[in-house]
Amino acid sequence: MAPRKLAAGNWKMNGTLASLAEIDQLLADHPAPACDVLICPPAVLVHAMAQRADGSKLMVGGQDCHAKTSGAHTGDIAAVELKDVGASHVILGHSERRADHGESDADVEAKAQAAHAAGLVAVICVGETEAQRDAGQTLDLIASQLAGSVPAGANAQNTVIAYEPVWAIGTGRTPTNEQIAEVHALMRDKLSARFADGADFSLLYGGSVKPSNAAEIFAIAHVDGALVGGASLKAADFGGIISALAA
Ligand code: 13P
């Protein structure tokens, strides 16, 4: 089985109910895309977006979950709660969560276990800062984030890995093709060494992906799709990325 191609949008803290019009447009423009398509809106929009996407190929996900299934955790959301309102995926360990909320690899691993137990696909993010790249630490860091964040129960069905260099997020800067290829090859090697179906995990690249650079990025070995921030907010832009992946 080859890895599934996935175009995933991360709306981050952007969007209101009115933004669901973008979903209507996306579904009208791409009723039967030849790749998987996922959008992870703010948690308050997951239910409404899932209802809007019902009967279509569009999947909806959360951007984080708690490691526990319920309890006294004000402001947090359980994986089972995301599942209950129609989510199929949840992004975990995004660099903004790691930086803003101090999430460690162990936290991400525990959240991924909760996601799997709830029947959600965990989209686990890894990536180096600019200082780490400049210090020549990228490959060691990615290997250690993967080892620490991806739980033993992961497989190609319940887990997607996203490589997002922190310095490329929202900056308009992207790594060279060689830099992306080097990290994706390392991720494939590490997953294949640890998991029987490691060759089948979908590996996404994220960081300033847009319609104009998507095709070039998707041509790189072991890049099975993208995790897209800014360019996922508008149907026309995200649609261009979907077209490039499905080509
Ligand atoms: P941008 O596509 O806006 O650079 O964001 C990438 C990202 O962080 C997706 O999770």
Side-chain angles (χ1 to χ4, degrees):
M1 194 192 83
R4 297 183 69 89
K5 291 184 177 186
L6 172 63
N10 174 9
W11 280 17
K12 308 190 180 185
M13 198 170 68
N14 299 291
T16 62
L17 283 171
S19 315
L20 297 182
E22 297 296 331
I23 299 308
D24 299 336
Q25 188 62 49
L26 192 70
L27 293 174
D29 294 346
H30 299 271
C35 63
D36 291 340
V37 181
L38 167 71
I39 294 185
C40 300
V44 290
L45 294 180
V46 168
H47 188 218
M49 188 181 285
Q51 289 192 320
R52 201 84 148 230
D54 195 30
S56 79
K57 273 198 68 178
L58 175 66
M59 300 181 290
V60 180
Q63 299 175 8
D64 176 49
C65 71
H66 197 277
K68 299 236 168 72
T69 52
S70 65
H73 302 286
T74 302
D76 281 316
I77 299 170
V80 287
E81 294 170 338
L82 286 170
K83 176 77 174 173
D84 183 51
V85 295
S88 57
H89 291 62
V90 60
I91 298 170
L92 295 174
H94 191 283
S95 62
E96 287 149 18
R97 300 283 323 169
R98 292 177 187 262
D100 296 353
H101 300 272
E103 289 188 10
S104 66
D105 289 335
D107 294 329
V108 178
E109 181 187 40
K111 289 172 181 224
Q113 286 168 332
H116 292 159
L120 295 176
V121 178
V123 181
I124 298 175
C125 303
V126 296
E128 82 286 2
T129 62
E130 186 156 34
Q132 289 165 328
R133 177 163 282 281
D134 289 347
Q137 298 166 347
T138 299
L139 296 183
D140 285 347
L141 178 89
I142 301 300
S144 105
Q145 285 182 327
L146 274 184
S149 306
V150 180
N155 59 51
Q157 263 72 50
N158 67 17
T159 304
V160 170
I161 308 295
Y163 168 53
E164 298 205 314
V166 177
W167 52 275
I169 295 175
T171 59
R173 297 168 59 201
T174 51
T176 64
N177 294 350
E178 291 72 25
Q179 288 171 328
I180 296 175
E182 183 180 40
V183 171
H184 278 245
L186 171 98
M187 298 197 299
R188 182 67 75 209
D189 284 352
K190 295 291 177 193
L191 291 168
S192 297
R194 186 169 166 208
F195 299 103
D197 61 353
D200 301 328
F201 281 58
S202 295
L203 306 183
L204 311 183
Y205 167 77
S208 298
V209 177
K210 39 189 189 278
S212 59
N213 64 13
E216 186 179 347
I217 290 170
F218 295 147
I220 299 169
H222 302 299
V223 174
D224 307 306
L227 182 55
V228 185
S232 72
L233 296 171
K234 292 286 170 215
D237 291 340
F238 197 46
I241 292 167
I242 291 168
S243 296
L245 184 59

